[in-house]
Amino acid sequence: MLNDSKLMSELLNELARLEESETKNDESLLGQRHGGLAIVGGQLLMKKPERGGKWPTISAAKGSRVKIFYRGKQIDRSLVLEDIDDIKFEVMQDPAQSSFEIVVSQDKMEVWLVTKFAPGVEYQVCDSDYTTNLVVTAKEVAQHPPQPVDPALVLQQLESLGVKIELYNNQIRSACYGLESGKWMIGVGIPPKPPVDGRVDVVCDLTGRQMQEEQGGRVDLLDRGKISSVEPGEVLAYWHPPVEGEAGINVFGATVKPRPPKRARLSAGSGVRLMEDGTVAVAEIAGRPCWDRGRLCVRPELIIPSDVDVSSGNIEFIGDVIVMGDVKDSLVVKAGGMVEVRGNVYNARIIAGGNVVIHRNLICGHVSVGGDIGNYMKAITLIKQIIPELKNLQKAFQQLQGHPRFSVEDLKIRGDGYLIKLILEMRFAEIPKLFARLQQLAPEQKDPKQDDEINNIWAVVNHISNCFKGANPLSIRSISEVDVYLKGLGEVCEWMEDVVSTPADIQVSYCQNAQLEATGDIVITGPLVYGCTMFAGADINIAGSCRGGTYCATSNIKVKSAGLNERVKTILAVGDEGSVMAGTLNPGVYVAIGQRKKVIGEIRRNVRLKFEEGRWIDKAGSGVF
Amino acid sequence: MGYFSVLKVMITQGPPNVIFALKGELDLTTSRILRKEVEKIELDKVASITFSLNELKFIDSTGIGQLIGYYRSFAKQHTSVYIDNKNADIEEVLELIGVREIMET
């Protein structure tokens, strides 16, 4: 600021000199007839004009620090002077500045000292030679440093403002005596301790699915990964309750309350239960965890709003699945619960733990519910044949061990497997064959799409089967290992029986060239079934006709019309206690009840076939069939 | 039995229907004695071989395995192999193992 005014003053002086030199030129032109004004040592001098000459004028340079008074009145334009006695000059001075201000921050937690220091500047009127038009200017002649601020005044003002905190006295002193303008913090309050907001940590996956990369970076576009799901009892989220903050004190000594913490409460929706005083959210049911209007829920069903196709990928979900559209070619829908398809299923695979309902057509697909019932039933039959045979083998071995004419000394070197293999070959040659058939039912490789439990079951089956294949019995060190295998086979059989005995049904409108396996009933509501293979743990009910294919039910088969002619092979098979009911049985239909088989030679109507007391009986007709 | 086992093998009838009479114990340690005797016969002159176990005191799985082995290998050369046994205890062993399922008297 000071420098600016100094510069301005120098510019004005320069301007005045230029005007003066012009005037001199005029004078030189007009001779010495004109009057003139001069300033010498701050005093105004005047030379009156000769006859015919001009009277001199006086004015203050524009923006200069000089004020000119004529007869006590300030003039603001050029004035023609007759006499200088009535003229007075006044030069404006810049006094030195020392001031301060106390500023308190908006939150009243900080107090600041704002100081302003400026040196004083002294000006006086510039001298000038005689000139007709005198422009009066002023120039800087001296500077005076500012005075320091008295700290006592600062403290006094702080007290009068009501500031009651401990002050930074050193800072105040240096600000006061430093003669530098600035803003200095001279005290702070005690800020409140902020609260800890409540928060919810979700520990289950709510993001949906993640595509998994195969070896070599390949991605199976149909395999989008499992849809996130939880089991009952699984922890979904933890709630960390909020912690209140602590109060602080502002610069005026007043209490400053901390902000209230955010609660972020954990709310349970359907399928979720809060435990441990509401701090732990646990799934009550199996399903898909999700947020619903701020509440954590577990939805037991997954609704696919359109088709299951390449855009959706395979569907794998622990609960129920409802497909509003079709299930397209090569896709897999796997559900722990039931599956409902509102449209068609085309050459796709449906695997469900519960019932499956397909509202429209099933073409070339494979539907299995409740488990791989076909294979399980076959495996159960084989295991039930193997177990008594293995027990007989074990018994023979033990009898030989205790036989007075049989030595077992060599087995200490060779191992019990040598004798086991001999007995297997000589007496129980069926056992390795049964194991080979059992092993054929097991998948060759671990199926990544299957549950670990199922994979483990088949791994046990494979391991035990291998032990009795070829030369492998030689590696059995002790007959007690057979006990372990017997126990393992028993558990496998029990597990499969559990699966098979849990009824899960399939209901389809129409099906063609499809494979259906259900632990419960298979119901076809439409007018035709063509070329299908069905295994039902309970009944098969076909409202219309079935032409071609194999239909096996543990209990009963009921069909409006079966077969067409001898060239269309249609097999209807039920268990020993089961029956086959048909409105029409066409020639060539192959009927099996337990181990008894019969081929229909001529068309039969309204029959209910059973096999009782060693003969075929038509319960609906004449009796003997 | 065991390390002190003794087996005597006598050919009581020569070709074409050879009979080996076994006396003592046929087990892991004596099986080589029988093998040496069997190796001596000229198979092209033999129509059948009978092992007589009537005087056998003990047998083990190695002995049984050896007899079954002969049965299988000679069968390929169209030579029949029989077991002649009137010893009830030894017969019980043969039946328990199932030798009688394939080898007749």
Side-chain angles (χ1 to χ4, degrees), chain A residues 49-61:
Chain A
E50 292 174 11
R51 188 177 180 78
K54 278 179 164 178
W55 285 83
T57 63
I58 186 167
S59 64

Side-chain angles (χ1 to χ4, degrees), chain A residues 610-617 623-625:
Chain A
K610 280 184 78 71
F611 194 87
E612 284 179 357
E613 297 169 350
R615 58 187 183 148
W616 290 84
I617 294 173
V624 179
F625 186 76

Side-chain angles (χ1 to χ4, degrees), chain A residues 201-207 228-230 234-237 289-290 296-297:
Chain A
D201 278 351
V202 178
V203 293
C204 60
D205 183 11
L206 296 173
T207 55
S228 65
S229 53
V230 291
E234 202 169 312
V235 174
L236 306 175
C290 60
L296 193 56
C297 302

Side-chain angles (χ1 to χ4, degrees), chain A residues 421-437:
Chain A
K421 185 168 181 287
L422 271 182
I423 303 172
L424 268 175
E425 285 175 357
M426 296 293 108
R427 273 186 69 186
F428 300 100
E430 274 301 302
I431 291 178
K433 292 176 188 169
L434 290 169
F435 271 120
R437 284 169 61 193

Side-chain angles (χ1 to χ4, degrees), chain A residues 27-103:
Chain A
E27 284 171 354
S28 62
L29 287 169
L30 297 172
Q32 297 299 317
R33 295 182 293 123
H34 302 312
L37 289 171
I39 297 171
V40 178
Q43 292 297 314
L44 181 65
L45 302 175
M46 182 177 177
K47 187 171 78 178
K48 290 196 176 178
E50 292 174 11
R51 188 177 180 78
K54 278 179 164 178
W55 285 83
T57 63
I58 186 167
S59 64
K62 278 180 186 171
S64 74
R65 295 181 160 274
V66 182
K67 289 180 181 173
I68 301 171
F69 294 88
Y70 177 67
R71 293 178 181 168
K73 193 177 176 183
Q74 187 180 351
I75 59 166
D76 52 2
R77 56 189 172 83
S78 187
L79 181 73
V80 178
L81 268 188
E82 185 182 357
D83 190 0
I84 61 171
D85 292 342
D86 296 330
I87 291 294
K88 292 253 186 292
F89 294 138
E90 186 182 317
V91 179
M92 287 184 291
Q93 307 294 338
D94 278 343
Q97 223 182 34
S98 300
S99 65
F100 72 90
E101 189 186 357
I102 304 294
V103 175

Side-chain angles (χ1 to χ4, degrees), chain A residues 422, chain B residues 63-75 81 102-103:
Chain A
L422 271 182
Chain B
I64 302 271
Q66 191 173 12
L67 295 178
I68 293 167
Y70 289 141
Y71 171 79
R72 286 176 176 163
S73 60
F74 291 147
V81 175
I102 57 167
M103 291 173 78

Side-chain angles (χ1 to χ4, degrees), chain A residues 399 405 407 410 426-427, chain B residues 57 59 61-62 92 96-97:
Chain A
Q399 282 178 314
R405 297 292 174 193
S407 166
D410 61 334
M426 296 293 108
R427 273 186 69 186
Chain B
K57 286 183 182 174
I59 191 166
S61 54
T62 307
E92 193 179 10
L96 278 171
I97 292 180

